[in-house]
Each structure stands twice: as structure tokens, then as C-alpha cells.
Amino acid sequence: MASPEPSPRRYGVGYALAPKKQQSFIQPSLVSLAASRGIDLVPIDPFLPLSSQGPFDVIIHKLSSPDWKSQLQEFAVENPNTPVIDLPDAIERLRNRISMLQAVSDLRIPQKDETFGTPKQIVIYDSDSLSDPASIETLKFPVIAKPLVADGSAKSHKMSLVFHPEGLLLLKPPIVLQEFVNHGGVIFKVYVVGDFVKCVKRKSLPDVSEEILEHSEGSVSFSQVSNLGGAQDQDFETTHLEDAEMPPLDFITDIARGLRKALELHLFNFDVIRDAKIGNHYLVIDINYFPGYAKMPDYEKVLTDFFWTLVHERRAVDADEKKKIASINHGAVEGEKVNVG
């Protein structure tokens, strides 16, 4: 009687996400597709030791508490061949809006027909500096005021479009003041999942003409750059999103891969705008860790492909380790034979 075929091995991808993030990301469609390829998405309880859960072939997460960070570091030491996506120290760089964009400034990518950079910006650490003209003299208004800390909280997304210096006085430092650049009311969101890069276009703040700037006072609040928020009552210029030309994919991909290497991250997106005055110049204005991938077309396939690559890369590493151990053991046996002889 023939022995039954061994069942194919299944792989566990553990996920540790806040409830809201888990609800948006772990969709039944993703769970089902991953399962069909032998990958089980397994929830991790961050309040229990990782050693008592699993086993895991990969861990993905978007938590930032000190206890969780300590758990991950201990797990990485005990399981050096198990990918942790991504390491806390690398993610930390994106929690500061100055350090995140410094990575863009440091990129050394050939720039030909298209060029890129970041908007001019400064950090304000105290309220007194907001009323000091010398502190902001390098900036041209209007400016975008953003919290310095970008931790994914609702507070970190509260931003303002400030038309004149007096509009700064009600803001609460520490904040980043970033020059607003007219960009046709369109923002390009670039999603990165390992080697995969996808660029989509979204509605953004409309351009601000000199006339609007002259007749506007104070500031306008909005929750995200791609959400008009409180600005809808302003007499802004409008644009047609469908008519906006996408940036060249190879150009965007070069930036994405450069940032992936510089940031040492696998899961992130970055926001890009096209300078309305210089049609081939693009500005990276924000970078986010583990963004809302469910908004990306075919996200289930993209993420499942990513998981599949990770678990099979780990399988290859494990196979190499077994070969090395077998080789060492074989060498030891041969040595004993020689000594006996």
C-alpha cells in the first residue's frame, strides 16, 4: 500500500496591529487569497510573550510601545532567520517629519528629464519663535503647518494651511512649517511593498493664487493633505483629477527603491506633488509607514506575493543552514575516522 503524500507545508505570518489597522488591513479577501497559497495570517497578542505564540515564519507589525519593541528585539535575537517587517529602529525615523525627508535629500539618483527634491521647511520648537520674524524669514507664504511627530495618531494628521505670519500665532509647537507649492490640486501616492511599486493619484489642496493669498486671513485646518477638510469654503481654484498626467513610472520606481534602501523598510508609501511652475520637478512631502494598503488596487495579490517571497526566502535560508550543519557534522565524522586510523 502506497504511503500517503505528505501535506504541503503551511507558513504562518504573524501580525500585530492596532484594532483599527487590523480591521482595515486584514480583510477576508486577503486572508482567503493568502490561505490558498499556503500562508496563514495569524493574529499576535502583543500583551503575551512572543515565545508563547506562533511559530511564525514572518512577523509584520505596526505597534510602537516600549514593551512591544523590547519583545521584537528579543525575538529577533532568538530567531535571526525569521523576518521582522520592519525593525523598530528603522520605523522610528518616519516618526519625525524632518528626519523622514532627510532621507530624500540624501538620495543620489541620476536625474535627467525629471528632477525631485523636498519643499523648503523649518522646525519651530517653541511659541515665542512663531512671533519672531527672524525665525520664519527663510519661508515664503503660504505654508503648511504639520506636527513634528508623525506617529499615526489623529493629532499627528492635524495640519493647517497658513496664509500669513499672524496665522501662526494659534499653532502649538513643536511643528514643521513647509512651504506650500502649487501642484494642480493633485497628489501622487506611491505605495511600496518590498520590490513592488504602485503610484496612484488623489485629490489634494487646490492651488493658491496671488489674489486668493492677498484676500485670505489666518489659516485653514485640514486633517490630511489629500482631504480638503475645512478648506472647501475658500474660493480655491479647481482641477480635474482625471486629466492629471502621472509621473513616469521608472522615475518614481527609482525614488522608491532608493528610499527603501536608505530607510531599510519594506512597507511604506510616500506622497509626491508636481511643481506647477516647473512641470518636470517633483517634491516628496511626506513618508508613511505601513499605510492604508486596502485603498491600493489589487492589494490582496500584492501583499500575498510579498508574503510568499518572504517565507520562501526564509525556507532557502533554513535549507542552507541545514546543509552547513550537515557538512560540519560530516567533517567531524571523517576526522574521527582519520584519528582512529
Side-chain angles (χ1 to χ4, degrees), residues 137-197:
E137 63 181 2
T138 60
L139 295 181
K140 180 182 178 182
F141 282 79
V143 299
I144 299 287
K146 305 178 179 183
L148 176 61
V149 176
D151 58 4
S153 66
K155 181 180 178 181
S156 71
H157 286 300
K158 289 185 178 179
M159 308 177 194
S160 299
L161 176 59
V162 185
F163 299 103
H164 302 287
E166 58 269 21
L168 300 173
L169 301 180
L170 297 178
L171 302 178
K172 296 181 179 180
I175 55 174
V176 173
L177 300 180
Q178 189 179 86
E179 280 192 2
F180 178 80
V181 177
N182 283 336
H183 52 282
V186 176
I187 190 169
F188 302 101
K189 288 189 168 290
V190 183
Y191 293 92
V192 180
V193 182
D195 290 328
F196 176 86
V197 178

Side-chain angles (χ1 to χ4, degrees), residues 186 201 239-246 274:
V186 176
K201 53 187 175 181
T239 189
H240 297 289
L241 180 64
E242 61 272 16
D243 295 334
E245 181 183 354
M246 296 288 285
R274 180 191 289 116

Side-chain angles (χ1 to χ4, degrees), residues 41-156:
L41 299 179
V42 184
I44 293 174
D45 187 337
F47 301 105
L48 295 177
L50 270 173
S51 57
S52 68
Q53 303 179 70
F56 303 113
D57 296 285
V58 176
I59 287 180
I60 62 172
H61 71 103
K62 193 178 183 180
L63 299 175
S64 58
S65 71
D67 288 344
W68 172 248
K69 183 176 179 179
S70 177
Q71 277 217 65
L72 273 186
Q73 290 172 335
E74 183 177 335
F75 178 87
V77 171
E78 295 175 354
N79 304 271
N81 293 335
T82 301
V84 173
I85 309 298
D86 281 297
L87 296 178
D89 287 345
I91 298 172
E92 192 68 24
R93 184 171 185 176
L94 298 190
R95 291 169 60 85
N96 180 296
R97 285 197 162 92
I98 294 298
S99 62
M100 73 164 63
L101 291 191
Q102 186 59 47
V104 180
S105 301
D106 292 342
L107 288 183
R108 296 295 176 261
I109 297 172
Q111 301 182 51
K112 299 177 182 178
D113 295 332
E114 288 78 27
T115 59
F116 70 92
T118 60
K120 185 181 293 185
Q121 60 182 19
I122 61 172
V123 188
I124 299 293
Y125 290 102
D126 58 82
S127 298
D128 291 340
S129 297
L130 290 174
S131 56
D132 181 5
S135 299
I136 57 175
E137 63 181 2
T138 60
L139 295 181
K140 180 182 178 182
F141 282 79
V143 299
I144 299 287
K146 305 178 179 183
L148 176 61
V149 176
D151 58 4
S153 66
K155 181 180 178 181
S156 71

Side-chain angles (χ1 to χ4, degrees), residues 191 196 198 200 202 293-300 302:
Y191 293 92
F196 176 86
K198 177 71 174 180
V200 300
R202 296 283 185 265
Y293 283 116
K295 299 176 183 177
M296 182 179 72
D298 297 323
Y299 99 100
E300 298 94 341
V302 173

